[in-house]
Amino acid sequence: MLLAFDIGNTETTVGLFAGDRLDAHWRWHSTPQRTPDEWASVLTAQLTQSGHSTQEIRASIVASVAPQVAESLCEGVELATSRKPVRVDGRSKLPIVLDVEEPLTVGADRIVNTLAAVLLFKQDTIVVDFGTATTFDCITIEGGRGAGRFIGGVIMPGLRTASDELVRRTAKLPATELLPPTHAIGRRTEDCIRVGVLWGTADAVDGLVRRIKAEWPSKTQPLVVATGGLATLVAPLCKEIGSVHADLTLVGLRIAAAALGLRW
């Protein structure tokens, strides 16, 4: 079996693949203070609860935007499974082109999102990934060859990041559960925050997607796909998002593992 890790600044998403099938997945806090032994213990316990064991793991692959967490977690995975994880970055030999000015600075999550979009959708795509940051990955498909090209995108503060910062930096605004608002004019403080954070994010996403489409390098109308931990919360509020693929990044990691010659 294959373990895939998408290590974000706030959460780490873990996928367990049996062949091409996503057999199980979990979300962990990306805790920098956790030691390799602790990561190994968490992984072993999670596998056991899912009816699996560390002996079933034949390979593992990691995409990370949090280097400190990645170092400790990778050591923990190797302790638990005796398999050294392979890391994806801008130097990885993958069947996509990073057509930007500084390809080595492109986040690993954006690389595997591009890979997944190319294989699954086979058309020009904008991937909107709702995490600690909200990223827009712009992907084109070249002619009949189906080759994928990452041409850049946008990074904006994530929904929960903006919400937490708003509460942290104000004296009287309360922490608020992020539920979809029903009216634009909030009559309670919590409702005002929900409108500002959720509809504010949705309208920002729609506006940015329209600007991106206006600059698209071809006459092809790109597909707009949402992914990430908060996608199911925000995407229904957006007019420009066509569909949600919650596990897109994990699928991209599985595709990357195959492209890099891993066997599981």
Side-chain angles (χ1 to χ4, degrees):
M1 303 188 85
L2 171 74
L3 279 171
F5 297 87
D6 173 26
I7 303 174
N9 289 295
T10 304
E11 285 187 336
T12 293
T13 307
V14 188
L16 179 66
F17 286 91
D20 290 347
R21 177 173 56 87
L22 182 60
D23 189 86
H25 63 94
W26 316 290
R27 287 188 181 276
W28 301 342
H29 287 294
S30 296
T31 309
Q33 293 78 20
R34 191 169 277 168
T35 67
D37 286 342
E38 289 171 331
W39 283 119
S41 177
V42 168
L43 175 60
T44 301
Q46 203 82 72
L47 286 168
T48 300
Q49 289 173 13
S50 299
H52 298 285
S53 72
T54 55
Q55 284 71 40
E56 296 177 70
I57 306 304
R58 296 289 176 265
S60 58
I61 189 164
V62 172
S64 174
V65 296
Q68 185 179 350
V69 177
E71 287 292 335
S72 183
L73 188 146
C74 285
E75 287 185 39
V77 171
E78 189 170 2
L79 282 173
T81 67
S82 300
R83 308 283 178 173
K84 185 178 181 64
V86 171
R87 300 198 205 186
V88 175
D89 60 24
R91 292 176 288 269
S92 300
K93 303 299 182 183
L94 297 171
I96 56 172
V97 177
L98 301 178
D99 187 8
V100 291
E101 292 185 4
E102 298 177 319
L104 294 183
T105 67
V106 177
D109 52 343
R110 307 182 80 181
I111 292 170
V112 294
N113 282 347
T114 298
L115 200 57
V118 169
L119 186 73
L120 296 182
F121 311 132
K122 298 180 172 59
Q123 68 179 95
D124 288 8
T125 306
I126 301 168
V127 176
V128 185
D129 192 341
F130 292 94
T132 305
T134 298
T135 58
F136 299 68
D137 304 328
C138 300
I139 301 145
T140 60
I141 302 294
E142 294 182 357
R145 294 175 297 169
R149 186 176 292 270
F150 174 81
I151 61 170
V154 176
I155 301 173
M156 62 177 273
L159 180 153
R160 203 172 296 281
T161 303
S163 175
D164 291 347
E165 190 69 1
L166 177 66
V167 171
R168 190 175 73 84
R169 287 186 173 271
T170 52
K172 292 188 176 181
L173 292 184
T176 302
E177 185 179 3
L178 294 179
L179 300 172
T182 55
H183 300 283
I185 301 175
R187 293 176 61 82
R188 299 171 65 247
T189 301
E190 290 84 353
D191 293 332
C192 294
I193 293 172
R194 291 186 184 107
V195 171
V197 172
L198 284 166
W199 275 352
T201 297
D203 288 352
V205 168
D206 283 341
L208 283 167
V209 169
R210 286 193 292 269
R211 287 179 180 272
I212 290 168
K213 285 180 175 179
E215 295 181 10
W216 204 254
S218 71
K219 294 181 180 179
T220 304
Q221 193 69 234
L223 177 70
V224 183
V225 174
T227 192
L230 298 170
T232 55
L233 178 63
V234 187
L237 307 177
C238 299
K239 296 178 180 178
E240 295 287 341
I241 290 176
S243 61
V244 176
H245 292 260
D247 299 319
L248 188 71
T249 310
L250 291 178
V251 171
L253 279 164
R254 189 260 298 164
I255 296 168
L260 294 171
L262 301 186
R263 297 290 179 266
W264 63 91

